Amino acid sequence: MEIEEFFQKFEGASLTYNDLIFLPSFIDFGHEAINLKTKVSREIEINIPICSSPMDTVTEDTLAIAIALQGGIGFIHYNMPPLEQAKQIQKVKRFKSGFVSDLITLDPSAKIWDVVGIRNDYGFTSIPITDNGKSHGKLVGMITKYDYSTLTQEDLDKTVLERMRPVEQLSVAAIDEISENGIVDIKQANTRLVDSHSTALPVTDREGHLLYFLTRSDLEKHMSCPHATSDSSKRLLVGAAVETWFEKAEERLSAIHRDVDVIVFDTSQGYTSYVIDLVKWTKQHYPDLQIIGGNVVTPDACQALIDAGVDGIRVGMGSGSICTTQEVGGVGRGQATAVYQCSKLCQQYGVPVIADGGIRKSSDIIKALGLGANAVMLGSLLASTNEAPGQTHIRDGVKVKEYRGMGSMQAMAKGSSVRYGIQDETIRVPEGVTGMVASRGSVEEWIPFLMQGVRQGLYKLGLKGVETIHEKLLSGDMHLERRSEEAKREGDIHGLYEVHMEALSSLSAPRETPPRQPQLN
Ligand code: XMP
């Protein structure tokens, strides 16, 4: 049945991804034609339709870097002070860049432990040294890991001057040598860097003032992750969550707005006058900042947020794997219905939709996109990776990691009670649980695997990517059916005496571990 007709027929039903099945369509192209590029907001384009959720067991700087390297974008959570969040955002932005112009430099009198501190905080092992320590001061030398990594504890007190290589011994490019018609040519610069056999190439003006700094590790990262999402300066993209309590939001925005690419106002119910006023205020004070509003599940809520000025909308209420909002409050919506109804409205305004929560396997991602979403937001599927915060434990011989709802008692104690609007209440009913998820290894392996599942599904549907889906939705050419209970059983693995792990992991099903009773609160 055509999608619009289908949802008219099931008006009043709250359908989930598992209730639906898309029908295959004619294919006249090869797998290579599939392109997963999409947008999370009007201006922010990503290379795969994946965002990581701003939850304190999911997205901090390490995961945000890993996900951006794979082509998605991470949203750093707000259960931390604004300055700490700003620091994490900076770590992502500084992780990989083409021309670093926003440089970290030291002066020759700095100590080796300053260098070690920068390495620990930002991961930089090569640091340019300027006469006054300022980022565009006169270049006097460079210190690399070879100059300090084997030093003893006592040597950390030595000055940079004692260990650095002076400028006369360095390969340095003058800006004119790597520019054409006044425009810097990154290819020429990279060739100079490679030919220098050095770990980094400082670029200076004619007077020897430092302008940029290119590093070999950036070049390697770029070459090994060609699909990474990056800004115009080749720095990774990163998002951050901001609370919807005005005083806190104001403080956080002032700490993070310079570096962050996109923010999400993170609340479980985004259809409120507070959120609308906050969006308007933010647009007025930070007009260049991309804002995602939410969470919402109805077209009228989307309309209100769009009218207030949001650039993207996050859809989902109570569909997350750790959510109890629907059970506690009797409110929310089946995620398939919510995504379809909201996307239909948002598409008219060119406002991207992020389908948030309830994604358990690659087919759910395809269904979310097929219903009109531009991208999905993942919680549990990423909390289980090595890059998510927290330790890996062994339970019954299986590697597991903690995953908790931002509405669980433990997470709310760290600040996220504001997400549920109950920060001032003396009695708080948790709207989320804590639990454990089976480890899925590194993002580097897991995301390409998941995306290959998405590619295979899109191919069978005769879809080349998000743009084609939207065209088909508009032209009334997407067809789906409701699955009967028997059809769900038939579509799942059945009739086997034994199922091997390998088969299950291809579905990314959390059935690898025996289901455990979640701990309420
Ligand atoms: P998944 O299914 O990917 O869902 O694990 C992640 C999304 O769930 C939302 N979230 C919550 N919802 N109570 C809720 O009702 C909670 O404690 C909670 N914590 C997170 C959030 O939208 C996230 O992206």
mmCIF file of all heavy atoms in Angstrom, residues 53 55 295 314 320-325 356-359 377-380 403 405-408 419-420 431-432, ligand 1:
data_model
loop_
_atom_site.group_PDB
_atom_site.id
_atom_site.type_symbol
_atom_site.label_atom_id
_atom_site.label_comp_id
_atom_site.label_asym_id
_atom_site.label_seq_id
_atom_site.Cartn_x
_atom_site.Cartn_y
_atom_site.Cartn_z
ATOM 1 N N SER A 53 23.696 9.664 20.480
ATOM 2 C CA SER A 53 22.810 10.352 21.421
ATOM 3 C C SER A 53 23.591 11.075 22.528
ATOM 4 O O SER A 53 24.594 10.547 23.033
ATOM 5 C CB SER A 53 21.878 9.315 22.046
ATOM 6 O OG SER A 53 21.049 9.933 22.978
ATOM 7 N N MET A 55 23.957 11.182 25.617
ATOM 8 C CA MET A 55 23.703 10.488 26.890
ATOM 9 C C MET A 55 25.050 10.244 27.558
ATOM 10 O O MET A 55 26.060 10.064 26.871
ATOM 11 C CB MET A 55 22.989 9.159 26.631
ATOM 12 C CG MET A 55 21.638 9.357 25.976
ATOM 13 S SD MET A 55 20.913 7.799 25.418
ATOM 14 C CE MET A 55 20.463 7.033 26.965
ATOM 15 N N ASN A 295 12.540 16.893 22.136
ATOM 16 C CA ASN A 295 12.004 15.816 21.324
ATOM 17 C C ASN A 295 10.505 15.999 21.146
ATOM 18 O O ASN A 295 9.818 16.394 22.097
ATOM 19 C CB ASN A 295 12.251 14.478 22.000
ATOM 20 C CG ASN A 295 13.639 13.947 21.673
ATOM 21 O OD1 ASN A 295 14.561 14.698 21.420
ATOM 22 N ND2 ASN A 295 13.788 12.647 21.683
ATOM 23 N N ARG A 314 14.334 16.622 16.301
ATOM 24 C CA ARG A 314 14.616 15.294 16.848
ATOM 25 C C ARG A 314 13.278 14.683 17.264
ATOM 26 O O ARG A 314 12.562 15.264 18.089
ATOM 27 C CB ARG A 314 15.540 15.496 18.049
ATOM 28 C CG ARG A 314 16.114 14.266 18.673
ATOM 29 C CD ARG A 314 17.076 14.708 19.771
ATOM 30 N NE ARG A 314 17.480 13.621 20.625
ATOM 31 C CZ ARG A 314 17.929 13.769 21.844
ATOM 32 N NH1 ARG A 314 18.034 15.002 22.371
ATOM 33 N NH2 ARG A 314 18.298 12.731 22.570
ATOM 34 N N GLY A 320 12.982 4.791 23.187
ATOM 35 C CA GLY A 320 14.352 4.350 23.454
ATOM 36 C C GLY A 320 14.388 3.064 24.268
ATOM 37 O O GLY A 320 13.446 2.766 25.023
ATOM 38 N N SER A 321 15.491 2.338 24.108
ATOM 39 C CA SER A 321 15.587 1.019 24.753
ATOM 40 C C SER A 321 15.595 1.093 26.274
ATOM 41 O O SER A 321 15.277 0.119 26.940
ATOM 42 C CB SER A 321 16.856 0.322 24.261
ATOM 43 O OG SER A 321 17.977 1.125 24.552
ATOM 44 N N ILE A 322 15.989 2.239 26.833
ATOM 45 C CA ILE A 322 16.064 2.388 28.290
ATOM 46 C C ILE A 322 14.956 3.287 28.837
ATOM 47 O O ILE A 322 14.988 3.688 29.988
ATOM 48 C CB ILE A 322 17.432 2.979 28.720
ATOM 49 C CG1 ILE A 322 17.976 3.962 27.673
ATOM 50 C CG2 ILE A 322 18.480 1.917 28.958
ATOM 51 C CD1 ILE A 322 17.127 5.010 27.198
ATOM 52 N N CYS A 323 13.990 3.622 27.953
ATOM 53 C CA CYS A 323 12.964 4.604 28.341
ATOM 54 C C CYS A 323 11.816 3.967 29.084
ATOM 55 O O CYS A 323 11.356 2.886 28.709
ATOM 56 C CB CYS A 323 12.345 5.232 27.110
ATOM 57 S SG CYS A 323 13.498 6.107 26.098
ATOM 58 N N THR A 324 11.310 4.695 30.069
ATOM 59 C CA THR A 324 10.066 4.257 30.705
ATOM 60 C C THR A 324 9.018 5.371 30.655
ATOM 61 O O THR A 324 7.991 5.280 31.299
ATOM 62 C CB THR A 324 10.315 3.828 32.171
ATOM 63 O OG1 THR A 324 10.985 4.895 32.853
ATOM 64 C CG2 THR A 324 11.144 2.571 32.266
ATOM 65 N N THR A 325 9.296 6.405 29.853
ATOM 66 C CA THR A 325 8.363 7.543 29.763
ATOM 67 C C THR A 325 6.939 7.088 29.422
ATOM 68 O O THR A 325 5.969 7.549 30.024
ATOM 69 C CB THR A 325 8.878 8.542 28.701
ATOM 70 O OG1 THR A 325 10.081 9.119 29.215
ATOM 71 C CG2 THR A 325 7.891 9.651 28.422
ATOM 72 N N ASP A 356 14.953 9.469 16.637
ATOM 73 C CA ASP A 356 15.725 9.200 17.858
ATOM 74 C C ASP A 356 15.081 8.124 18.725
ATOM 75 O O ASP A 356 13.968 8.292 19.205
ATOM 76 C CB ASP A 356 15.814 10.519 18.653
ATOM 77 C CG ASP A 356 16.438 10.328 20.011
ATOM 78 O OD1 ASP A 356 17.263 9.413 20.161
ATOM 79 O OD2 ASP A 356 16.093 11.110 20.920
ATOM 80 N N GLY A 357 15.821 7.025 18.920
ATOM 81 C CA GLY A 357 15.369 5.990 19.854
ATOM 82 C C GLY A 357 14.727 4.811 19.157
ATOM 83 O O GLY A 357 14.102 4.939 18.097
ATOM 84 N N GLY A 358 14.932 3.639 19.734
ATOM 85 C CA GLY A 358 14.262 2.441 19.240
ATOM 86 C C GLY A 358 14.949 1.755 18.073
ATOM 87 O O GLY A 358 14.394 0.835 17.488
ATOM 88 N N ILE A 359 16.175 2.187 17.748
ATOM 89 C CA ILE A 359 16.891 1.537 16.635
ATOM 90 C C ILE A 359 17.665 0.344 17.200
ATOM 91 O O ILE A 359 18.566 0.512 18.023
ATOM 92 C CB ILE A 359 17.874 2.525 15.950
ATOM 93 C CG1 ILE A 359 17.139 3.757 15.421
ATOM 94 C CG2 ILE A 359 18.684 1.821 14.857
ATOM 95 C CD1 ILE A 359 16.329 3.562 14.173
ATOM 96 N N MET A 377 19.278 8.606 15.422
ATOM 97 C CA MET A 377 20.137 8.836 16.592
ATOM 98 C C MET A 377 20.193 7.532 17.379
ATOM 99 O O MET A 377 19.160 6.928 17.648
ATOM 100 C CB MET A 377 19.566 9.966 17.433
ATOM 101 C CG MET A 377 20.424 10.308 18.619
ATOM 102 S SD MET A 377 19.883 11.832 19.399
ATOM 103 C CE MET A 377 20.879 13.054 18.579
ATOM 104 N N LEU A 378 21.424 7.136 17.725
ATOM 105 C CA LEU A 378 21.609 5.851 18.393
ATOM 106 C C LEU A 378 22.053 6.020 19.840
ATOM 107 O O LEU A 378 22.950 6.812 20.126
ATOM 108 C CB LEU A 378 22.672 5.028 17.669
ATOM 109 C CG LEU A 378 22.482 4.790 16.170
ATOM 110 C CD1 LEU A 378 23.621 3.929 15.635
ATOM 111 C CD2 LEU A 378 21.140 4.129 15.895
ATOM 112 N N GLY A 379 21.439 5.243 20.706
ATOM 113 C CA GLY A 379 21.873 5.176 22.096
ATOM 114 C C GLY A 379 22.503 3.826 22.354
ATOM 115 O O GLY A 379 23.733 3.671 22.336
ATOM 116 N N SER A 380 21.652 2.811 22.519
ATOM 117 C CA SER A 380 22.180 1.502 22.931
ATOM 118 C C SER A 380 23.152 0.919 21.906
ATOM 119 O O SER A 380 24.127 0.271 22.283
ATOM 120 C CB SER A 380 21.042 0.516 23.200
ATOM 121 O OG SER A 380 20.513 0.049 22.001
ATOM 122 N N TYR A 403 24.784 0.912 30.373
ATOM 123 C CA TYR A 403 24.017 1.862 29.561
ATOM 124 C C TYR A 403 22.854 2.330 30.426
ATOM 125 O O TYR A 403 22.136 1.510 31.006
ATOM 126 C CB TYR A 403 23.516 1.162 28.295
ATOM 127 C CG TYR A 403 22.664 2.043 27.403
ATOM 128 C CD1 TYR A 403 23.027 3.363 27.119
ATOM 129 C CD2 TYR A 403 21.477 1.561 26.824
ATOM 130 C CE1 TYR A 403 22.255 4.158 26.291
ATOM 131 C CE2 TYR A 403 20.712 2.348 25.994
ATOM 132 C CZ TYR A 403 21.105 3.652 25.739
ATOM 133 O OH TYR A 403 20.327 4.453 24.916
ATOM 134 N N GLY A 405 19.532 5.283 31.033
ATOM 135 C CA GLY A 405 18.695 6.365 30.534
ATOM 136 C C GLY A 405 19.073 7.662 31.231
ATOM 137 O O GLY A 405 19.501 7.644 32.393
ATOM 138 N N MET A 406 18.911 8.778 30.515
ATOM 139 C CA MET A 406 19.196 10.070 31.137
ATOM 140 C C MET A 406 18.126 10.397 32.175
ATOM 141 O O MET A 406 18.273 11.310 32.967
ATOM 142 C CB MET A 406 19.274 11.163 30.071
ATOM 143 C CG MET A 406 20.488 11.024 29.168
ATOM 144 S SD MET A 406 22.044 11.207 30.053
ATOM 145 C CE MET A 406 22.314 12.976 29.892
ATOM 146 N N GLY A 407 17.043 9.619 32.154
ATOM 147 C CA GLY A 407 15.992 9.804 33.151
ATOM 148 C C GLY A 407 16.093 8.795 34.281
ATOM 149 O O GLY A 407 15.184 8.688 35.112
ATOM 150 N N SER A 408 17.182 8.020 34.314
ATOM 151 C CA SER A 408 17.387 7.101 35.438
ATOM 152 C C SER A 408 17.824 7.937 36.635
ATOM 153 O O SER A 408 18.331 9.050 36.471
ATOM 154 C CB SER A 408 18.465 6.071 35.097
ATOM 155 O OG SER A 408 19.710 6.721 34.921
ATOM 156 N N ARG A 419 16.119 17.461 31.876
ATOM 157 C CA ARG A 419 15.587 16.904 30.625
ATOM 158 C C ARG A 419 14.124 16.500 30.779
ATOM 159 O O ARG A 419 13.353 16.481 29.834
ATOM 160 C CB ARG A 419 16.430 15.687 30.227
ATOM 161 C CG ARG A 419 16.062 15.095 28.900
ATOM 162 C CD ARG A 419 17.047 14.024 28.460
ATOM 163 N NE ARG A 419 16.922 13.796 27.041
ATOM 164 C CZ ARG A 419 16.090 12.906 26.512
ATOM 165 N NH1 ARG A 419 15.342 12.150 27.282
ATOM 166 N NH2 ARG A 419 15.994 12.775 25.199
ATOM 167 N N TYR A 420 13.747 16.164 32.034
ATOM 168 C CA TYR A 420 12.387 15.691 32.298
ATOM 169 C C TYR A 420 11.564 16.752 33.030
ATOM 170 O O TYR A 420 10.454 16.486 33.474
ATOM 171 C CB TYR A 420 12.444 14.360 33.078
ATOM 172 C CG TYR A 420 13.217 13.371 32.252
ATOM 173 C CD1 TYR A 420 14.606 13.286 32.343
ATOM 174 C CD2 TYR A 420 12.573 12.609 31.284
ATOM 175 C CE1 TYR A 420 15.332 12.453 31.510
ATOM 176 C CE2 TYR A 420 13.295 11.778 30.444
ATOM 177 C CZ TYR A 420 14.672 11.703 30.562
ATOM 178 O OH TYR A 420 15.380 10.892 29.714
ATOM 179 N N GLU A 431 12.346 8.112 34.626
ATOM 180 C CA GLU A 431 11.740 7.779 33.328
ATOM 181 C C GLU A 431 12.711 6.976 32.480
ATOM 182 O O GLU A 431 12.634 6.959 31.256
ATOM 183 C CB GLU A 431 11.289 9.061 32.615
ATOM 184 C CG GLU A 431 10.142 9.723 33.353
ATOM 185 C CD GLU A 431 9.493 10.869 32.576
ATOM 186 O OE1 GLU A 431 9.525 10.837 31.335
ATOM 187 O OE2 GLU A 431 8.974 11.777 33.238
ATOM 188 N N GLY A 432 13.675 6.370 33.168
ATOM 189 C CA GLY A 432 14.628 5.546 32.439
ATOM 190 C C GLY A 432 15.247 4.536 33.385
ATOM 191 O O GLY A 432 15.144 4.678 34.608
HETATM 192 P P1 XMP B 1 18.043 3.831 22.075
HETATM 193 O O1 XMP B 1 16.851 2.984 21.740
HETATM 194 O O2 XMP B 1 18.897 4.093 20.891
HETATM 195 O O3 XMP B 1 17.409 5.231 22.530
HETATM 196 O O4 XMP B 1 18.803 3.276 23.220
HETATM 197 C C1 XMP B 1 18.175 6.354 22.850
HETATM 198 C C2 XMP B 1 17.277 7.547 23.072
HETATM 199 O O5 XMP B 1 16.431 7.364 24.227
HETATM 200 C C3 XMP B 1 16.116 8.633 24.791
HETATM 201 N N1 XMP B 1 16.405 8.572 26.230
HETATM 202 C C4 XMP B 1 15.470 8.402 27.171
HETATM 203 N N2 XMP B 1 14.131 8.368 27.098
HETATM 204 N N3 XMP B 1 14.021 8.019 29.430
HETATM 205 C C5 XMP B 1 13.400 8.202 28.238
HETATM 206 O O6 XMP B 1 12.170 8.184 28.193
HETATM 207 C C6 XMP B 1 15.373 8.036 29.576
HETATM 208 O O7 XMP B 1 15.904 7.865 30.662
HETATM 209 C C7 XMP B 1 16.124 8.267 28.402
HETATM 210 N N4 XMP B 1 17.452 8.407 28.172
HETATM 211 C C8 XMP B 1 17.587 8.590 26.833
HETATM 212 C C9 XMP B 1 16.948 9.671 24.097
HETATM 213 O O8 XMP B 1 16.120 10.344 23.209
HETATM 214 C C10 XMP B 1 18.009 8.828 23.422
HETATM 215 O O9 XMP B 1 18.578 9.444 22.290
#
